[in-house]
Amino acid sequence: MASDHKPDTLGVRAGGIRSDFQEHSEALVLSTSFVYKSAAEAARKFANEEPGYIYSRFTNPTVTMFQDRLAALEGAEACVATSTGMAAVATTVFGLLKAGDHMIAARGVFGTVVPLFDQILSKFNVETTWVDPRDADAWVKAVRPNTKLFFVESPSNPALEIADIAALATLAKKSGAILAVDNAVCSPALQQPIKFGADLVIHSATKYLDGQGRVLAGAIAGRKDLVSGPLYQFVRTAGPAISPFNAWVCLKGMETLGIRMQAQSANALEVARWLEAHKGVQRVIYPGLKSHPQHALAKRQQSAGGAVLSFVARGGREAAWKIIDAVKLISITANFGDVKSTICHPATTTHARLTPAEREAAGIGEGMIRLAVGLENPADVCADLERGLS
Ligand SMILES: *Cc1c(COP(=O)(O)O)cnc(C)c1O
């Protein structure tokens, strides 16, 4: 597939491997291992002297198609898939860092990343400094001689803070560190961090790549020396490999990614504008709104605002829970990335494990509601919110 094709074309066509059966739709290859014609062929494949499939913890044709399609969409040299988004984050840090290393991570990253770095990675003597993704000076000050990794999510979830990816890439390069950007909220349909200098892009494919809330999956795309080197080595050795079935669901999901992200972003913008005009709402946080403090930066990095927005209800937790409890159409669930709209209260669900001080620093208040807008008609979504707001 020529890489000069447009993203919509790559989403549908990139990464196809057709077998001798000449199937049109990408095949789901459910096989643990692959066979050889001889002992010598097996030896050559194990020695990496001859390309080919060995065992599905290492490689699998359906997984290869998923990886190639995502690499094409991200503009990446290589991609390795993992069982979940958290497995992609864990593979990144355990594959790249060693005892004595230091990393800088943006506050307000996905909730589970915090205990992974602070409670598990710290046992291996890797220290994390947490900084505000918007504060360029704080990143400069946090750099140490042993800083090896910058880890950032943009926009962050649920606070929707935007990191200046190009500025961080410049600082990372100067500091001899690798910049990894979690792109789950935007997906490559709206933002390609590699274009702005990121070395690695991390995905929870569970979100928009699947797009319909069916499977858990993850991936890391980026520099070939890292992805096909230590990161792939970690996956095949430690074993957080993706199931071929899950890879297949995401591979097919990517065929509609571009059109879904455009439509869901347009719906989210409409709902955000409606919320902003509502007197029961104190504040709406959505990168696509002019009122977002980093709207200009978001417009530079993203082709649309995305489908996730947050808003702060007047009246704190009580008011927020009342809105959530009144919905009949929107699903009350902590997941996002679905064509079904979802709503949750981050302070008591996805980010409940943080201390109140950590939540405060991450911009997650008691009145905050996260809404991920799906493909329902936005008027129906607004009517559903109106019930608890009025
Ligand atoms: C969901 C999510 C993750 C974790 O992904 P899983 O597939 O649930 O393990 C990581 N980062 C972001 C931004 C996410 O939204």
Side-chain angles (χ1 to χ4, degrees), residues 66-378:
F66 167 58
Q67 293 173 160
D68 290 351
R69 185 164 292 175
L70 183 55
L73 283 176
E74 287 288 3
E77 293 170 356
C79 177
V80 62
T82 56
S83 55
T84 65
M86 282 314 302
V89 178
T91 295
T92 303
V93 295
F94 285 102
L96 296 178
L97 303 176
K98 63 178 191 316
D101 284 347
H102 171 249
M103 69 181 289
I104 309 174
R107 263 184 203 142
V109 291
F110 184 69
T112 315
V113 173
V114 178
L116 174 68
F117 292 178
D118 279 353
Q119 291 164 32
I120 300 176
L121 190 61
S122 62
K123 290 196 289 192
F124 300 88
N125 195 24
V126 173
E127 203 186 330
T128 305
T129 303
W130 298 94
V131 300
D132 188 322
R134 300 159 300 180
D135 184 352
D137 281 349
W139 286 81
V140 174
K141 287 201 192 97
V143 174
R144 300 178 192 170
N146 59 339
T147 303
K148 295 289 160 58
L149 182 66
F150 285 17
F151 184 91
V152 66
E153 191 182 313
S154 186
S156 67
N157 155 44
L160 300 160
E161 296 164 345
I162 313 286
D164 186 333
I165 299 171
L168 286 178
T170 304
L171 180 63
K173 199 148 284 155
K174 215 175 92 188
S175 315
I178 291 160
L179 173 62
V181 178
D182 187 326
N183 199 25
V185 172
C186 269
S187 92
L190 302 185
Q191 170 175 276
Q192 295 168 301
I194 289 169
K195 265 209 305 228
F196 299 98
D199 298 294
L200 296 172
V201 180
I202 293 175
H203 271 286
S204 171
T206 312
K207 309 294 163 50
Y208 292 106
L209 300 187
D210 168 354
Q212 295 183 56
R214 297 162 293 195
V215 300
L216 294 168
I220 310 154
R223 269 167 52 187
K224 191 172 169 57
D225 63 320
L226 303 174
V227 171
S228 306
L231 299 179
Y232 169 64
Q233 283 306 324
F234 183 87
V235 173
R236 70 176 272 171
T237 309
I242 192 171
S243 132
F245 178 80
N246 292 2
W248 179 80
V249 171
C250 295
L251 175 73
K252 300 306 283 179
M254 275 190 280
E255 293 178 359
T256 55
L257 178 69
I259 201 164
R260 279 188 282 110
M261 293 312 289
Q262 288 305 327
Q264 290 182 230
S265 292
N267 289 356
L269 181 60
E270 204 168 318
V271 175
R273 284 182 176 146
W274 180 84
L275 282 167
E276 200 163 43
H278 201 291
K279 53 187 185 316
V281 176
Q282 192 181 319
R283 190 171 161 227
V284 182
I285 308 156
Y286 180 63
L289 284 178
K290 286 200 182 71
S291 59
H292 191 286
Q294 297 170 287
H295 178 62
L297 175 60
K299 274 183 79 169
R300 271 211 306 282
Q301 292 182 168
Q302 305 172 205
S303 61
V308 181
L309 65 87
S310 291
F311 64 99
V312 182
R314 274 186 216 288
R317 183 195 292 197
E318 201 186 330
W321 279 26
K322 183 174 159 248
I323 293 163
I324 293 171
D325 288 344
V327 299
K328 291 183 176 155
L329 177 73
I330 305 169
S331 313
I332 306 173
T333 177
N335 193 30
F336 70 96
D338 204 309
V339 294
K340 294 183 171 77
S341 294
T342 60
I343 195 165
C344 76
H345 184 244
T348 51
T349 58
T350 52
H351 293 69
R353 282 163 81 183
L354 305 192
T355 64
E358 285 170 336
R359 271 201 297 277
E360 171 88 35
I364 301 159
E366 288 287 324
M368 182 187 267
I369 291 175
R370 188 191 72 194
L371 179 68
V373 181
L375 285 179
E376 304 96 339
N377 190 296

